[in-house]
Amino acid sequence: MSVYQLNKLCHRTLDDLEFREAMKRDPQAAIAGFDLTAAERDTLLAGDVARLFEIGVHPFLLSFLTRYEIFGLTTEVYSERIRKARDPHRSA
Amino acid sequence: MSVYQLNKLCHRTLDDLEFREAMKRDPQAAIAGFDLTAAERDTLLAGDVARLFEIGVHPFLLSFLTRYEIFGLTTEVYSERIRKARDPHRSA
Amino acid sequence: MGEVVAGFGVPHSPHIPEQVKKQGPSHPVVPRYARVAEAIAAARPDVLLVFDCDHFSTFFLDNLPIFAVGVADRTAGPNDRTPMPRYEVPVHAALAAHLRSSGVEAGFDLALLQDFEVDHSIMVPLHFMTPGMTIPIIPIFINCFVPPLPSARRCYALGQAMRAAVESFAQPLRVAALASGSFSLEIGGPKVAPGRRQGVPDPAWVERAAGLMQGGKIEQLLDEATTERMLRAGNVSAELLTWIAALGVIGDRLPEPMQLQPAEGEVYGIWRWN
Amino acid sequence: MGEVVAGFGVPHSPHIPEQVKKQGPSHPVVPRYARVAEAIAAARPDVLLVFDCDHFSTFFLDNLPIFAVGVADRTAGPNDRTPMPRYEVPVHAALAAHLRSSGVEAGFDLALLQDFEVDHSIMVPLHFMTPGMTIPIIPIFINCFVPPLPSARRCYALGQAMRAAVESFAQPLRVAALASGSFSLEIGGPKVAPGRRQGVPDPAWVERAAGLMQGGKIEQLLDEATTERMLRAGNVSAELLTWIAALGVIGDRLPEPMQLQPAEGEVYGIWRWN
Ligand SMILES: [Fe+3]
Ligand SMILES: [Fe+3]
């Protein structure tokens, strides 16, 4: 269920303006309400989007984090990191 | 969509205790928040469950109204009325 | 390689837990559930595939699937204000995900359900039969209440696809199917009994359908159990589709002598071979 | 007796309405959408069947259907914070209910969606092509984002079933199919362009898939458009399944010369015969 929680957290960042502001202000506090493992929490707070992708967070949802530059994920940082993720569907 | 609204109203009578109390106290006020036609509102307030069934309210949901005796629908009254409804699936 | 080791079918009246609590073990349903419970224990399943019709509790008419599979680590219930204890129950997420993927690949359009509780139709049987809640379940939901319903043949084929998926699963799990539902029951519709909110309009159909199962006449059952025929037996009588799906898992094996309560619209069934 | 009179396919980038608002009619998408809009107007449809992939806006992962049909009197959107005007649009509830019933009878497990809004993937195309919002739509949702996906063959068969259902509808409606989606697009995944949040990983696949449509080689397209192949073209490239479902409605007719933007992963298509 944790991956579901991570997906939900990303979605809420788009959908819930108050939550989005909380995520920008104090991410650690904002994510406290989700049922995550300690490792997932650390991965999130580190903005390790490659790892989040690899454990199953949907990339479309993950990209909401950079849309609002949560966890320091500017577009440049996000792009650089996600491009290093293991991709099960490599281009030919 | 009105039949959907009627189904939703029945379901809320089971699921939402405050709404259920409001339905017992002042049904006319309680149903004001639903997008219903005037005819549907009258049919509801009259407890005309046969008619509600015939226009498509699901009988399982409809029976929530008698479970809490909304609109004066004691089990006896409900049973007598619904048994007169046109049934598309008559017993053999 | 998973293995299907048994199949079961029971009813799930929401009034029974409270009645039994008051009346104690002299209540007639107690030995009926107990007999199935013993058979479940003897089959030692690692997972129970529960074929279920939701009663507008897990789903509503806003987004109502024909078929759905619960894929999560656990669920809880009842979520429909049934007077009975509240339970948490583990779900076998890995097998559930495999069943769903395999089913979609086989052309069954199975909705993904990840954040959900279940109603009395799952919790009443578990309360009586596996109250320890230690056997993981996988709920497979079938729309039996809101026409258009899936056909009996499609539900049977779904069961067959689930069986094949169990057998292609990497771990050697013992899996049993459990169907939950009545054969004849009207709730809140024109066929209720006088002075009642429900009724059992068609005891003869209970005997007919159970008789076909008892005799292993599955093709005949699939022919006869049309939506029209099932709804003549009561507006929630298409709960029979849960049994038909379970039969798809079970195959052509014969049940032990079934416990029939035609006047109550109910049947208890045990298929055991392993 | 309803009649299918035309088919169309377009992309739906959520950034375009705002860009066009700033840049005006010199924006390159304006004439592309305009050409399809003219063809829609010329086909005079009474109803638009819109094959769509939801972007976690109408559905979420809690209860995610493989296929769903919107059955309501109206819908509205976008519901996903896309910067563009908000619209209400009528839905043809009677035909939608008939399509769903017929589909379920034909063995497609179509979820019922009654209380919903839609996202940019429906509203961007309508904004550019039918901004009056006077033609009733019927949204048919396909899960293109969360594997397991339905196969291309099953989506095509769904389209064929929808066509048969249109033809068995009692009223003489003119119905057109509209597909909405990209052929190659990666959003937020490893195949994004350097320094970007998205990318177009596979322009060659855009030309290949469009070329097969252009040549009427549907069987070949159904063989080649595996989940694996589509996802190699980008993580949301299985939006192609909306086009494949629309082709099921259209049959073996050939399109007018298609507008291809391989570098953008996008295609605009027009099938007209009546
Ligand atoms: Fe039931
Ligand atoms: Fe899209």
Side-chain angles (χ1 to χ4, degrees), chain B residues 11 58 78 83 87 89-90, chain C residues 56 145 188 191-192 232:
Chain B
H11 193 257
H58 196 287
Y78 184 95
R83 283 170 52 82
D87 187 354
H89 303 285
R90 246 170 256 270
Chain C
F56 304 105
F145 272 28
K191 290 189 284 289
V192 299
R232 280 209 329 263

Side-chain angles (χ1 to χ4, degrees), chain C residues 75-154:
Chain C
T75 186
N79 61 349
D80 60 352
R81 303 192 177 279
T82 297
M84 65 174 285
R86 182 178 165 82
Y87 294 99
E88 283 220 345
V89 53
V91 173
H92 199 299
L95 179 58
H98 175 73
L99 295 185
R100 182 168 172 271
S101 294
S102 307
V104 169
E105 202 174 325
F108 294 89
D109 313 312
L110 308 174
L112 170 65
L113 195 66
Q114 287 196 104
D115 192 3
F116 66 102
E117 296 192 344
V118 298
D119 73 16
H120 72 275
S121 57
I122 289 184
M123 283 307 177
V124 168
L126 298 187
H127 167 75
F128 283 111
M129 302 194 300
T130 59
M133 300 292 163
T134 52
I135 306 174
I137 68 169
I138 297 175
I140 301 185
F141 296 94
I142 300 175
N143 168 37
C144 314
F145 272 28
V146 184
L149 309 181
S151 70
R153 239 167 245 290
R154 186 144 179 89

Side-chain angles (χ1 to χ4, degrees), chain A residues 4 7-8 11 14-15 17 20 53 58-61 63 66-67 75 78-79 82-83 85 87 89-92, chain D residues 55-56 60-62 80-81 145-146 187-197 201 228 231-232 235-236:
Chain A
Y4 174 77
N7 278 316
K8 198 166 138 185
H11 193 259
L14 172 74
D15 217 41
L17 295 182
R20 189 193 301 166
F53 172 80
H58 196 287
F60 187 90
L61 296 169
S63 75
T66 176
R67 198 190 288 194
T75 303
Y78 183 95
S79 186
I82 200 72
R83 283 170 52 83
D87 187 354
H89 303 285
R90 246 170 256 271
S91 300
Chain D
H55 297 60
F56 303 106
F60 191 60
L61 295 162
D62 56 336
D80 59 353
R81 303 192 177 279
F145 272 29
V146 184
I187 296 179
K191 290 189 285 288
V192 299
R196 301 283 314 276
R197 280 192 268 129
E228 172 59 29
L231 295 184
R232 279 212 325 266
N235 58 18
V236 300

Side-chain angles (χ1 to χ4, degrees), chain B residues 60, chain C residues 12 53 55 120-121 145 181-182 185 187 236 239:
Chain B
F60 187 90
Chain C
H12 59 235
C53 295
H55 297 60
H120 72 275
S121 57
F145 272 28
S182 289
L185 186 60
I187 296 180
V236 300
E239 288 184 347

Side-chain angles (χ1 to χ4, degrees), chain D residues 1-273:
Chain D
M1 305 298 98
E3 185 188 8
V4 175
V5 297
F8 311 98
V10 293
H12 59 234
S13 163
H15 311 295
I16 294 298
E18 207 174 35
Q19 286 178 18
V20 169
K21 195 175 157 197
K22 279 182 197 148
Q23 190 178 330
S26 70
H27 192 291
V29 307
V30 172
R32 297 175 197 157
Y33 274 124
R35 201 166 127 194
V36 184
E38 278 162 34
I40 293 177
R44 294 175 293 108
D46 297 310
V47 182
L48 276 175
L49 277 198
V50 186
F51 290 95
D52 181 57
C53 295
D54 173 57
H55 297 60
F56 303 106
S57 316
T58 301
F59 305 102
F60 191 60
L61 295 162
D62 56 336
N63 178 8
L64 183 79
I66 294 287
F67 297 132
V69 181
V71 183
D73 291 323
R74 74 191 88 88
T75 187
N79 61 348
D80 59 353
R81 303 192 177 279
T82 297
M84 63 173 287
R86 182 178 166 82
Y87 294 99
E88 284 222 344
V89 53
V91 174
H92 200 299
L95 179 58
H98 175 73
L99 295 185
R100 181 167 173 271
S101 295
S102 306
V104 170
E105 202 173 326
F108 294 90
D109 313 312
L110 308 174
L112 170 64
L113 195 65
Q114 289 195 104
D115 192 2
F116 66 102
E117 296 191 345
V118 297
D119 73 16
H120 73 276
S121 58
I122 290 184
M123 282 307 177
V124 167
L126 299 187
H127 167 75
F128 283 110
M129 301 195 301
T130 59
M133 301 292 162
T134 52
I135 306 175
I137 69 169
I138 297 174
I140 301 185
F141 296 95
I142 299 175
N143 168 36
C144 314
F145 272 29
V146 184
L149 309 182
S151 70
R153 238 167 246 290
R154 186 144 180 89
C155 292
Y156 188 77
L158 173 66
Q160 291 177 307
M162 295 299 97
R163 180 196 181 85
V166 164
E167 292 172 349
S168 71
F169 190 61
Q171 286 172 253
L173 296 176
R174 296 173 63 85
V175 176
L178 172 64
S180 175
S182 288
F183 288 24
S184 175
L185 186 61
E186 176 93 351
I187 296 179
K191 290 189 285 288
V192 299
R196 301 283 314 276
R197 280 192 268 129
Q198 54 182 64
V200 177
D202 203 345
W205 170 245
V206 178
E207 301 201 67
R208 175 69 186 164
L212 291 171
M213 290 183 194
Q214 191 74 61
K217 300 203 160 40
I218 291 174
E219 275 302 311
Q220 188 69 28
L221 177 64
L222 299 182
D223 281 345
E224 293 189 17
T226 61
T227 294
E228 172 59 29
R229 181 65 192 91
M230 290 188 289
L231 295 184
R232 279 212 325 266
N235 58 18
V236 300
S237 304
E239 288 184 347
L240 176 62
L241 292 173
T242 65
W243 289 63
I244 288 174
L247 283 170
V249 177
I250 291 161
D252 55 9
R253 290 182 180 79
L254 294 179
E256 299 183 5
M258 299 175 97
Q259 305 181 73
L260 264 66
Q261 272 71 43
E264 296 166 43
E266 296 183 348
V267 182
Y268 297 71
I270 296 169
W271 285 257
R272 238 193 317 197
W273 60 88

